mmCIF file of all heavy atoms in Angstrom:
data_model
loop_
_atom_site.group_PDB
_atom_site.id
_atom_site.type_symbol
_atom_site.label_atom_id
_atom_site.label_comp_id
_atom_site.label_asym_id
_atom_site.label_seq_id
_atom_site.Cartn_x
_atom_site.Cartn_y
_atom_site.Cartn_z
ATOM 1 N N CYS A 1 52.127 -39.415 41.012
ATOM 2 C CA CYS A 1 52.670 -38.393 40.097
ATOM 3 C C CYS A 1 52.809 -38.835 38.664
ATOM 4 O O CYS A 1 52.815 -40.018 38.333
ATOM 5 C CB CYS A 1 54.025 -37.953 40.565
ATOM 6 S SG CYS A 1 55.326 -39.014 40.225
ATOM 7 N N LEU A 2 52.615 -37.971 37.716
ATOM 8 C CA LEU A 2 52.566 -38.249 36.307
ATOM 9 C C LEU A 2 53.844 -38.918 35.806
ATOM 10 O O LEU A 2 53.770 -39.935 34.997
ATOM 11 C CB LEU A 2 52.423 -36.843 35.506
ATOM 12 C CG LEU A 2 52.444 -37.071 33.977
ATOM 13 C CD1 LEU A 2 51.259 -37.871 33.541
ATOM 14 C CD2 LEU A 2 52.331 -35.702 33.369
ATOM 15 N N GLN A 3 55.034 -38.481 36.321
ATOM 16 C CA GLN A 3 56.261 -39.131 35.919
ATOM 17 C C GLN A 3 56.330 -40.626 36.367
ATOM 18 O O GLN A 3 56.755 -41.404 35.554
ATOM 19 C CB GLN A 3 57.405 -38.359 36.493
ATOM 20 C CG GLN A 3 57.655 -36.959 35.987
ATOM 21 C CD GLN A 3 56.940 -35.969 36.807
ATOM 22 O OE1 GLN A 3 55.940 -36.207 37.481
ATOM 23 N NE2 GLN A 3 57.461 -34.708 36.788
ATOM 24 N N ALA A 4 55.757 -40.954 37.435
ATOM 25 C CA ALA A 4 55.848 -42.349 37.881
ATOM 26 C C ALA A 4 54.963 -43.124 37.011
ATOM 27 O O ALA A 4 55.230 -44.227 36.618
ATOM 28 C CB ALA A 4 55.459 -42.461 39.309
ATOM 29 N N GLN A 5 53.874 -42.506 36.531
ATOM 30 C CA GLN A 5 52.897 -43.332 35.732
ATOM 31 C C GLN A 5 53.398 -43.503 34.341
ATOM 32 O O GLN A 5 53.306 -44.479 33.703
ATOM 33 C CB GLN A 5 51.542 -42.565 35.703
ATOM 34 C CG GLN A 5 50.833 -42.703 37.097
ATOM 35 C CD GLN A 5 49.547 -41.867 37.172
ATOM 36 O OE1 GLN A 5 48.989 -41.468 36.143
ATOM 37 N NE2 GLN A 5 49.151 -41.634 38.368
ATOM 38 N N LEU A 6 54.118 -42.446 33.839
ATOM 39 C CA LEU A 6 54.783 -42.472 32.513
ATOM 40 C C LEU A 6 55.951 -43.461 32.489
ATOM 41 O O LEU A 6 56.185 -44.165 31.572
ATOM 42 C CB LEU A 6 55.278 -41.153 32.125
ATOM 43 C CG LEU A 6 54.228 -40.078 31.643
ATOM 44 C CD1 LEU A 6 54.849 -38.702 31.415
ATOM 45 C CD2 LEU A 6 53.475 -40.626 30.450
ATOM 46 N N TYR A 7 56.595 -43.609 33.674
ATOM 47 C CA TYR A 7 57.674 -44.618 33.773
ATOM 48 C C TYR A 7 57.166 -45.987 33.637
ATOM 49 O O TYR A 7 57.953 -46.853 33.024
ATOM 50 C CB TYR A 7 58.373 -44.466 35.208
ATOM 51 C CG TYR A 7 59.603 -45.370 35.446
ATOM 52 C CD1 TYR A 7 60.752 -45.012 34.912
ATOM 53 C CD2 TYR A 7 59.466 -46.466 36.062
ATOM 54 C CE1 TYR A 7 61.911 -45.800 35.094
ATOM 55 C CE2 TYR A 7 60.524 -47.492 36.243
ATOM 56 C CZ TYR A 7 61.724 -47.029 35.735
ATOM 57 O OH TYR A 7 62.853 -47.917 35.839
ATOM 58 N N ASN A 8 55.988 -46.329 33.993
ATOM 59 C CA ASN A 8 55.430 -47.603 33.795
ATOM 60 C C ASN A 8 55.341 -47.963 32.325
ATOM 61 O O ASN A 8 55.417 -49.090 31.936
ATOM 62 C CB ASN A 8 54.122 -47.780 34.471
ATOM 63 C CG ASN A 8 54.212 -47.857 35.921
ATOM 64 O OD1 ASN A 8 55.195 -48.432 36.466
ATOM 65 N ND2 ASN A 8 53.229 -47.228 36.636
ATOM 66 N N PHE A 9 55.114 -46.954 31.474
ATOM 67 C CA PHE A 9 54.893 -47.159 30.068
ATOM 68 C C PHE A 9 56.195 -46.944 29.233
ATOM 69 O O PHE A 9 56.402 -47.592 28.210
ATOM 70 C CB PHE A 9 53.832 -46.220 29.462
ATOM 71 C CG PHE A 9 52.467 -46.594 29.950
ATOM 72 C CD1 PHE A 9 51.892 -45.834 31.023
ATOM 73 C CD2 PHE A 9 51.731 -47.602 29.518
ATOM 74 C CE1 PHE A 9 50.530 -46.118 31.421
ATOM 75 C CE2 PHE A 9 50.538 -47.983 29.967
ATOM 76 C CZ PHE A 9 49.918 -47.233 31.014
ATOM 77 N N PHE A 10 57.119 -46.052 29.648
ATOM 78 C CA PHE A 10 58.178 -45.676 28.926
ATOM 79 C C PHE A 10 59.485 -45.773 29.874
ATOM 80 O O PHE A 10 60.084 -44.690 30.058
ATOM 81 C CB PHE A 10 58.094 -44.274 28.288
ATOM 82 C CG PHE A 10 56.807 -44.120 27.474
ATOM 83 C CD1 PHE A 10 55.830 -43.224 28.072
ATOM 84 C CD2 PHE A 10 56.576 -44.749 26.285
ATOM 85 C CE1 PHE A 10 54.615 -43.114 27.376
ATOM 86 C CE2 PHE A 10 55.442 -44.525 25.610
ATOM 87 C CZ PHE A 10 54.395 -43.732 26.126
ATOM 88 N N PRO A 11 59.784 -46.885 30.433
ATOM 89 C CA PRO A 11 60.897 -46.866 31.469
ATOM 90 C C PRO A 11 62.260 -46.395 30.829
ATOM 91 O O PRO A 11 62.942 -45.746 31.510
ATOM 92 C CB PRO A 11 60.963 -48.357 31.878
ATOM 93 C CG PRO A 11 60.196 -49.097 30.824
ATOM 94 C CD PRO A 11 59.271 -48.177 30.207
ATOM 95 N N THR A 12 62.577 -46.828 29.616
ATOM 96 C CA THR A 12 63.839 -46.418 29.028
ATOM 97 C C THR A 12 63.953 -44.877 28.895
ATOM 98 O O THR A 12 64.937 -44.325 29.146
ATOM 99 C CB THR A 12 64.069 -47.182 27.734
ATOM 100 O OG1 THR A 12 63.914 -48.545 28.015
ATOM 101 C CG2 THR A 12 65.553 -46.908 27.202
ATOM 102 N N ALA A 13 62.917 -44.310 28.319
ATOM 103 C CA ALA A 13 62.910 -42.850 28.137
ATOM 104 C C ALA A 13 62.929 -42.066 29.436
ATOM 105 O O ALA A 13 63.612 -41.179 29.548
ATOM 106 C CB ALA A 13 61.739 -42.512 27.270
ATOM 107 N N MET A 14 62.124 -42.582 30.437
ATOM 108 C CA MET A 14 62.031 -41.969 31.659
ATOM 109 C C MET A 14 63.286 -42.003 32.523
ATOM 110 O O MET A 14 63.499 -41.135 33.417
ATOM 111 C CB MET A 14 60.768 -42.438 32.517
ATOM 112 C CG MET A 14 59.522 -42.144 31.852
ATOM 113 S SD MET A 14 59.195 -40.447 31.549
ATOM 114 C CE MET A 14 58.959 -39.786 33.286
ATOM 115 N N GLU A 15 64.165 -42.941 32.267
ATOM 116 C CA GLU A 15 65.458 -43.074 32.929
ATOM 117 C C GLU A 15 66.292 -41.737 32.666
ATOM 118 O O GLU A 15 67.109 -41.423 33.503
ATOM 119 C CB GLU A 15 66.243 -44.310 32.488
ATOM 120 C CG GLU A 15 65.611 -45.637 32.967
ATOM 121 C CD GLU A 15 65.843 -45.789 34.425
ATOM 122 O OE1 GLU A 15 66.880 -45.308 35.060
ATOM 123 O OE2 GLU A 15 65.062 -46.437 35.040
ATOM 124 N N LEU A 16 66.014 -41.181 31.557
ATOM 125 C CA LEU A 16 66.892 -40.027 31.169
ATOM 126 C C LEU A 16 66.333 -38.700 31.682
ATOM 127 O O LEU A 16 66.947 -37.690 31.592
ATOM 128 C CB LEU A 16 66.876 -40.011 29.631
ATOM 129 C CG LEU A 16 67.468 -41.163 28.853
ATOM 130 C CD1 LEU A 16 67.304 -41.081 27.380
ATOM 131 C CD2 LEU A 16 68.861 -41.508 29.322
ATOM 132 N N ILE A 17 65.074 -38.717 32.190
ATOM 133 C CA ILE A 17 64.399 -37.516 32.576
ATOM 134 C C ILE A 17 64.330 -37.395 34.060
ATOM 135 O O ILE A 17 64.026 -38.446 34.782
ATOM 136 C CB ILE A 17 62.960 -37.521 31.976
ATOM 137 C CG1 ILE A 17 62.909 -37.554 30.513
ATOM 138 C CG2 ILE A 17 62.175 -36.291 32.474
ATOM 139 C CD1 ILE A 17 61.597 -37.737 29.839
ATOM 140 N N PRO A 18 64.730 -36.324 34.696
ATOM 141 C CA PRO A 18 64.640 -36.227 36.111
ATOM 142 C C PRO A 18 63.265 -36.028 36.576
ATOM 143 O O PRO A 18 62.330 -35.650 35.829
ATOM 144 C CB PRO A 18 65.426 -34.861 36.457
ATOM 145 C CG PRO A 18 65.368 -34.150 35.163
ATOM 146 C CD PRO A 18 65.326 -35.132 34.076
ATOM 147 N N GLY A 19 62.962 -36.289 37.855
ATOM 148 C CA GLY A 19 61.627 -36.095 38.511
ATOM 149 C C GLY A 19 61.475 -36.966 39.619
ATOM 150 O O GLY A 19 62.356 -37.749 40.085
ATOM 151 N N PRO A 20 60.235 -36.977 40.245
ATOM 152 C CA PRO A 20 59.923 -37.711 41.441
ATOM 153 C C PRO A 20 60.025 -39.257 41.242
ATOM 154 O O PRO A 20 60.203 -39.916 42.206
ATOM 155 C CB PRO A 20 58.465 -37.296 41.845
ATOM 156 C CG PRO A 20 57.985 -36.577 40.671
ATOM 157 C CD PRO A 20 59.158 -36.100 39.738
ATOM 158 N N HIS A 21 59.920 -39.658 39.999
ATOM 159 C CA HIS A 21 59.953 -41.069 39.760
ATOM 160 C C HIS A 21 61.316 -41.661 40.088
ATOM 161 O O HIS A 21 61.489 -42.859 40.552
ATOM 162 C CB HIS A 21 59.590 -41.495 38.271
ATOM 163 C CG HIS A 21 60.591 -40.907 37.303
ATOM 164 N ND1 HIS A 21 60.556 -39.506 37.060
ATOM 165 C CD2 HIS A 21 61.510 -41.474 36.545
ATOM 166 C CE1 HIS A 21 61.473 -39.330 36.127
ATOM 167 N NE2 HIS A 21 62.027 -40.454 35.783
ATOM 168 N N LYS A 22 62.301 -40.793 40.079
ATOM 169 C CA LYS A 22 63.791 -41.257 40.483
ATOM 170 C C LYS A 22 63.794 -41.594 41.932
ATOM 171 O O LYS A 22 64.373 -42.509 42.399
ATOM 172 C CB LYS A 22 64.677 -40.192 40.166
ATOM 173 C CG LYS A 22 64.853 -39.901 38.626
ATOM 174 C CD LYS A 22 65.715 -40.902 37.935
ATOM 175 C CE LYS A 22 65.976 -40.365 36.533
ATOM 176 N NZ LYS A 22 67.030 -41.185 35.883
ATOM 177 N N GLN A 23 63.115 -40.733 42.719
ATOM 178 C CA GLN A 23 63.006 -40.957 44.159
ATOM 179 C C GLN A 23 62.211 -42.233 44.514
ATOM 180 O O GLN A 23 62.534 -42.945 45.382
ATOM 181 C CB GLN A 23 62.416 -39.733 44.933
ATOM 182 C CG GLN A 23 62.471 -39.879 46.429
ATOM 183 C CD GLN A 23 63.793 -39.923 47.040
ATOM 184 O OE1 GLN A 23 64.673 -39.191 46.596
ATOM 185 N NE2 GLN A 23 64.002 -40.836 47.973
ATOM 186 N N LEU A 24 61.159 -42.499 43.716
ATOM 187 C CA LEU A 24 60.391 -43.649 43.927
ATOM 188 C C LEU A 24 61.260 -44.909 43.712
ATOM 189 O O LEU A 24 61.181 -45.836 44.507
ATOM 190 C CB LEU A 24 59.176 -43.636 43.019
ATOM 191 C CG LEU A 24 58.208 -44.842 42.894
ATOM 192 C CD1 LEU A 24 57.404 -44.900 44.189
ATOM 193 C CD2 LEU A 24 57.337 -44.735 41.812
ATOM 194 N N ILE A 25 61.949 -44.917 42.687
ATOM 195 C CA ILE A 25 62.837 -46.040 42.364
ATOM 196 C C ILE A 25 63.939 -46.266 43.490
ATOM 197 O O ILE A 25 64.222 -47.405 43.845
ATOM 198 C CB ILE A 25 63.543 -45.866 40.938
ATOM 199 C CG1 ILE A 25 62.489 -45.879 39.954
ATOM 200 C CG2 ILE A 25 64.631 -46.970 40.740
ATOM 201 C CD1 ILE A 25 62.906 -45.365 38.521
#
């Protein structure tokens, strides 16, 4: 998913945004 891929580049910013990357973590 896009959010998980973005999390790899912008982890601090993505911590604030909900999405499937949260479930991955």
